[in-house]
Every structure is written in structure tokens, then in C-alpha cells.
Amino acid sequence: MNGKGGSCLEKTVCVIGAGIGGLTAGAYLAKHGYRVTVLEKAATVGGSAGWYVRKNRLFPTGATLAFGLEEHGLLRNMLNELDIDLPATELLHPMDVVLPGKTISIYKDSLDWEAELKKTFPEHSQNVLNFWRNLTKIGESVLAFTETRTALPIETFSGLADILRFVFHHPFSLMRLARFSSYTVEDFMRKYRLEQVTPFRQMLNVQLIDAVQTDVSEAALLPASLALTIYRRGSFSIQNGIGEISKRLADRIEGLGGEILLNSPVGSVSYNKMEKQWEVQSPKCKASFDIIVNNTGVLFGYDPSKAQNRNPDWGAFRLDAVLKEDICRGPLRGKKLPFAYQIVPKSEHSKILREEAGPLYVTFHPSLNKNGETVAGEVMMTASIHTNPKEWILCTKEEYKNKKEKVKNAILSEIEKMMPLKEYVIDAEAGTPLTYQRYIGKAYVGGTSLTVKHAVLKPKSVRSSLPQFYIAGEQVFPGPGTLSSALSGYYASMAVMEDVKKHDYHSR
Ligand SMILES: Cc1cc2nc3c(=O)[nH]c(=O)nc-3n(C[C@H](O)[C@H](O)[C@H](O)COP(=O)(O)OP(=O)(O)OC[C@H]3O[C@@H](n4cnc5c(N)ncnc54)[C@H](O)[C@@H]3O)c2cc1C
């Protein structure tokens, strides 16, 4: 195991929030002998990479596409270390980016991808290829660093030792990372005179807004290089949905003697200085713990001056629909479909959608019932778009209802332009940032945008300013996405173990 754990002597840990970050932290800690209790607000695990049941159908709560599950991939290695088996289907054609007047297919195979770039940007093909090849090299260096499992910022001697080892083994990668550390993606585009090429810029923006929560003008080149090139390493769909990752992590925690309490939102936590214990209250748990790992993205009223979370930027509006399977025989017949579509709304279409921050992210799946069995005669479609939660929070009830209906119809119409869809819809239900607030406790999802400041200069640590209190999830290093959240959970568990070894917190 790639662990740095110290002796835990039955320390008790409360993981608040059963998102993929918290569960990863809990699983590593349980594996190292900690007594882990996970308290989760919702009725299922997985948070925004989980699932929910409506009208006997299983819908994803957010994420659908998984990364890092290839052999020796970052997530695969973590799951192996935790003795978790997770079948996943590799996607050779994970995505189509649909721009006004152009569709660009993203392929796993490098040759197919380069051919697609040449075909789509014929007037700039050499610059585009050079941009992409060099971006790939930067992405490889970022990956090499990530594979050392060094958490940023560096706060301990062992972190420093990890960096020195990296310098020793990858001197060229380090030089590359140092050289581009202050670059935005736009700075890098300038080197290839591509910053003014509108469709190229749009294609990058669409992917970056989903992956790092901001566009080329602000996205830090280092994390963006990995996000943009990761499809060549591998992207995956998971039978029964991405929530299966969290389900298996939760099962593992229980298998190791930990407990998972669902429908158990934590209302308050308080620190008992004398006992050096955290007192935690939820409907199903009133107990003291040596250590807290907070994976919720909410503060619990503690230490607001040194807020654990930067304000995240976005919320999500989503549409979950059940369609008649006939759509596959009709409009989609014989089409080579990607797993997902990222669609830039066409300008003439819907004013409403342009007020939201595209792209529209759409996936099609088999329709599953609540037991995970395929429902004959149906397919499922999920669509989501970034939106500003404030616009929903500040609405009156009437305005909220109207806006929700308008955005829902605009999304359907936008997809309709790609394929005739409306006549196949059996059922479609929308969720807004207030829906997320209600079910997973936060209206803002997706963490903070990975700008140079947030990702490189001041990455957010898994350690908080509070004693024995750690943070995991999309709001801390390395940032948004299921793979990053899982890594943050790993980093949080390692920080706990290192600190326990150093300070030997008293357990009762
Ligand atoms: C619409 C959408 C689509 C996405 N698509 C993808 C994708 O395709 N691929 C990808 O890799 N990533 C995707 N993401 C991002 C990814 O889902 C998240 O970054 C990741 O799942 C976050 O995990 P987390 O553990 O940090 O937090 P979360 O999943 O947010 O988990 C937080 C947990 O804390 C719980 N909680 C909150 N308050 C309390 C409380 N008081 N007490 C107890 N529990 C509490 C919540 O219920 C929740 O379960 C998507 C996100 C969204 C919203």
C-alpha cells in the first residue's frame, strides 16, 4: 500500500458526508484500524456522484463519466489498495462537443483524435496539433506528479521529501511544471496563435467549464492540461451508474467494521478542549470523536474567519428524462453515439439558456429500475447545465416555478435541434440548485474554479485551522470531479495518520 499511516490505537473518526471524497477517506482510515463512522444527510451514499430513485427509476444525481479506472490509473490503484473490485466499461468515443455549426468527436485513440482535430480545424491544423501535443506533455508531467500522491500545499517534512523524490526521478517534468505554473490556458493558446480561433476556443471552454469550473481566460494550464487530455488515458461508464463507486467504498468501510448512517444530517459539531474530542450531533448519532473529516462542503459555523471553503462558483440545473426506446430505432438509428454530448446552446434559440452558463451536458443510458434492472422499452437521458444558485435562491415561489419550467423547456428544445426528442419523452423532471440544497445540503456544487491562484499559488489544504479537523471533497486540493474528490479523501486520510503519529491524540 502507498500509505504513510501511523499507529491509530483505535482512534475514532467521524466522516461527515458520504460523497466519494469522504468515503475514500473513511475506507483508508478503516483499513488502517481507525473506528470510522460516516454520517450522511441523504438516503443514499455518493452525493453528487450518487443516485436517486423517482417513480421506480434510478437516476444519477450528477456525475456520469468516470476517470482514472484504467489499469494503474489513479482511481484504479486506490480501489486496488482498498481491495475493491469495480467493473467499468472503457469508452472509445466518450464525447461529442457540439458547437454552432461544428461537431467535434473526442476519441480515446490518439490517431483518431488528431485526425478529428485536423478535419475540424483545417486552416489551423498544424498549430492545433502542436498545441495539443505539447499540452499532452504538460498533462503527462502533471499526472507524474499526481501519481506521487503528494498533497498540496506542502505542509510537512514528508511532503517535502515527496517533492524531492519527484525532482530526483522526474527533473524534466519538474522544469516543465515550473515553467508553466503561472500560465492560463489562454496564455498557452497565444503561443500557437490560437486564442482568436473562435471554434477552438469554444471547444476548450466547453470542456473546461465542466472539468475545472472556468474557461480558457482563467483556467490554470497545469490542471487543465490533464483535464483536456485525460480522455486518451481512459474514460469509463459504470453499469448501474457512477454511484457504484461510492456504494462499494461504503460496503468496504462496513466490511472493515465501520458504520454508515444514512438520513443522518449533522446539525452541529463542537470541540471539547479538555477532552480533545469533537462532539457531533445528528438524528442518529450523538457521540464524541477524536477526529472529524468534513466532506460536506458546509462549515458547521466553525472558524468563519479562516473559512474552510472558498466560495464555490456554480450550481447545477439538471433534467432527468425517461424516453421511449423507439428513439434508438428512429432518429438515433444506426448512429454511432458517443457516451455524452457537450452542447453549446445556439444563440438564436433560447435566451433563457444563454442566461445559464452552458455547455449543456447530455448523456443517454439504459433505463434502470430501483433494483438496477434494465427496463425494456425505455432509455434514460440526463442533461445538466451550470447556473448561478443566487438566481434561484432569491426567486419568489412563483418566479422559481416559471424559471424552472422555462429552463427545462429550453434544454429540451436545445437537444431537439440535435435529434427529434420531444415526441419520445415519457417523463422529464428538473432539479435546480435548491434541489441540490435540499438533498445534499449545498446549492453550490463543483467546488472552486481551478484558476492559477486556487490551483497553483494557494491550493486548499485538507488540513483545517481547527484541531483534529480535516476536509475532503471537491472544495480542497486537487479540486472538482470524482477522481479529484477521491484523491482528496486519500490525502485527508494520510494527513490524519501523519498527524496522529506526530501528536498521538488521546482517545477515550
Ligand atoms: C450535474 C453534475 C455533473 C457532474 N458530472 C461529472 C462527471 O461526469 N464526472 C466527474 O468526474 N465529475 C462530475 N461531477 C463532479 C463530481 O460529481 C463531484 O465533484 C464529486 O462527486 C464531489 O464529491 P464530494 O465527495 O466532494 O462531495 P459530494 O458528492 O457533494 O458529497 C457531499 C456529501 O455530504 C452530504 N452532506 C451535506 N451536508 C451534510 C450534513 N450536514 N450532514 C451529513 N451529510 C451531509 C451530502 O448529502 C453529500 O452526500 C458532476 C457534478 C455535477 C453536479
Side-chain angles (χ1 to χ4, degrees):
M1 170 168 301
N2 187 6
K4 305 163 186 171
S7 132
C8 69
L9 301 171
E10 288 272 293
K11 296 271 185 280
T12 54
V13 181
C14 179
V15 175
I16 312 178
I20 194 165
L23 290 168
T24 306
Y28 271 102
L29 289 167
K31 177 142 189 175
H32 279 89
Y34 288 71
R35 277 160 50 205
V36 173
T37 302
V38 181
L39 300 178
E40 168 54 44
K41 172 181 164 63
T44 51
V45 297
S48 44
W51 71 94
Y52 73 96
V53 175
R54 183 170 55 80
K55 297 185 185 165
N56 191 28
R57 296 290 179 276
L58 211 61
F59 295 95
T61 49
T64 47
L65 197 53
F67 300 97
L69 285 171
E70 62 278 10
E71 206 186 342
H72 305 305
L74 289 162
L75 185 54
R76 179 63 70 199
N77 281 350
M78 285 192 274
L79 294 174
N80 287 344
E81 286 163 13
L82 293 167
D83 307 309
I84 294 173
D85 180 38
L86 180 84
T89 307
E90 186 172 45
L91 301 168
L92 301 180
H93 177 189
M95 188 103 71
D96 272 0
V97 176
V98 184
L99 307 179
K102 263 188 210 293
T103 294
I104 303 150
S105 295
I106 295 183
Y107 294 113
K108 163 144 205 271
D109 183 84
S110 301
L111 293 179
D112 289 346
W113 172 235
E114 291 207 348
E116 183 72 7
L117 287 174
K118 274 196 225 163
K119 187 181 90 187
T120 315
F121 304 103
E123 321 83 69
H124 305 276
S125 64
Q126 202 47 53
N127 284 358
V128 167
L129 287 184
N130 289 342
F131 171 94
W132 217 276
R133 286 173 188 160
N134 286 324
L135 187 77
T136 303
K137 283 189 193 147
I138 299 170
E140 280 164 3
S141 298
V142 174
L143 185 69
F145 179 77
T146 313
E147 281 169 347
T148 65
R149 304 248 192 112
T150 307
L152 295 180
I154 300 295
E155 295 171 315
T156 61
F157 282 117
S158 87
L160 198 60
D162 287 342
I163 294 272
L164 293 176
R165 255 194 306 277
F166 180 71
V167 176
F168 185 75
H169 290 293
H170 304 273
F172 293 112
S173 283
L174 185 85
M175 274 153 58
R176 199 176 281 131
L177 295 180
R179 177 170 171 215
F180 293 113
S181 60
S182 64
Y183 270 55
T184 62
V185 174
E186 189 171 42
D187 294 334
F188 195 63
M189 290 168 81
R190 267 192 213 105
K191 280 170 67 74
Y192 302 89
R193 296 193 300 279
L194 291 168
E195 76 281 12
Q196 309 281 8
V197 180
T198 304
F200 189 68
R201 196 180 171 96
Q202 279 177 321
M203 178 189 80
L204 297 182
N205 278 343
V206 162
Q207 291 177 68
L208 290 172
I209 289 169
D210 266 349
V212 300
Q213 308 291 317
T214 188
D215 64 11
V216 293
S217 67
E218 284 199 332
L221 179 64
L222 295 188
S225 64
L226 194 53
L228 290 168
T229 57
I230 200 164
Y231 297 99
R232 247 86 312 113
R233 302 212 148 256
S235 54
F236 298 84
S237 72
I238 295 170
Q239 204 186 352
N240 289 358
I242 211 166
E244 196 60 31
I245 305 177
S246 291
K247 210 172 173 185
R248 292 189 186 210
L249 284 164
D251 288 347
R252 187 72 187 119
I253 292 172
E254 286 181 330
L256 289 162
E259 60 178 344
I260 314 274
L261 299 177
L262 300 174
N263 296 311
S264 192
V266 172
S268 67
V269 299
S270 59
Y271 188 59
N272 183 330
K273 270 192 187 161
M274 297 291 287
E275 299 279 335
K276 291 195 174 170
Q277 291 272 304
W278 282 98
E279 283 152 16
V280 178
Q281 281 212 31
S282 83
K284 291 187 183 167
C285 174
K286 187 172 183 309
S288 298
F289 295 90
D290 296 305
I291 292 152
I292 286 186
V293 177
N294 179 10
N295 185 239
T296 62
V298 291
L299 280 169
F300 298 112
Y302 252 84
D303 204 8
S305 62
K306 293 180 183 161
Q308 297 147 13
N309 313 318
R310 288 193 193 91
N311 282 339
D313 301 300
W314 293 111
F317 182 98
R318 57 179 301 110
L319 180 71
D320 295 317
V322 176
L323 311 176
K324 289 181 206 150
E325 202 191 19
D326 293 349
I327 193 167
C328 301
R329 286 186 277 276
L332 302 186
R333 188 188 177 136
K335 281 199 179 174
K336 271 193 177 172
L337 294 185
F339 177 76
Y341 293 89
Q342 280 175 321
I343 306 169
V344 173
K346 286 180 193 164
S347 54
E348 82 281 5
H349 197 97
S350 163
K351 188 168 173 312
I352 303 148
L353 268 188
R354 279 187 289 134
E355 281 168 9
E356 311 303 313
L360 188 58
Y361 181 75
V362 185
T363 53
F364 292 90
H365 322 257
S367 179
L368 300 176
N369 69 16
K370 67 174 185 209
N371 301 320
E373 296 150 352
T374 308
V375 181
E378 294 180 358
V379 285
M380 199 171 270
M381 182 191 78
T382 67
S384 60
I385 190 163
H386 284 59
T387 183
N388 179 357
K390 257 193 210 148
E391 287 177 19
W392 298 90
I393 293 165
L394 300 177
C395 279
T396 64
K397 227 176 172 179
E398 197 55 28
E399 285 166 348
Y400 175 84
K401 208 172 128 204
N402 290 339
K403 185 171 163 67
K404 187 171 165 184
E405 199 55 25
K406 267 189 196 165
V407 177
K408 174 179 157 183
N409 288 333
I411 287 179
L412 283 173
S413 303
E414 198 57 49
I415 303 169
E416 181 83 13
K417 275 187 294 176
M418 227 173 49
M419 60 187 77
L421 179 88
K422 283 184 181 164
E423 60 182 293
Y424 297 95
V425 175
I426 300 171
D427 178 47
E429 183 63 45
T432 73
L434 294 192
T435 319
Y436 277 96
Q437 171 82 60
R438 181 167 166 208
Y439 289 103
I440 66 160
K442 54 184 180 186
Y444 288 81
V445 286
T448 315
S449 51
L450 293 185
T451 59
V452 172
K453 182 176 166 205
H454 294 164
V456 184
L457 300 177
K458 284 189 160 188
K460 193 77 189 132
S461 171
V462 294
R463 288 182 172 85
S464 78
S465 54
L466 303 171
Q468 299 135 251
F469 193 108
Y470 299 80
I471 311 160
E474 61 189 6
Q475 52 281 340
V476 294
F477 177 80
T482 49
L483 174 56
S484 295
S485 283
L487 278 167
S488 79
Y490 169 84
Y491 296 141
S493 70
M494 292 302 136
V496 167
M497 291 188 243
E498 269 183 72
D499 294 352
V500 162
K501 199 171 171 187
K502 220 163 48 195
H503 304 298
D504 194 18
Y505 304 139
H506 299 291
S507 52
R508 299 208 300 183

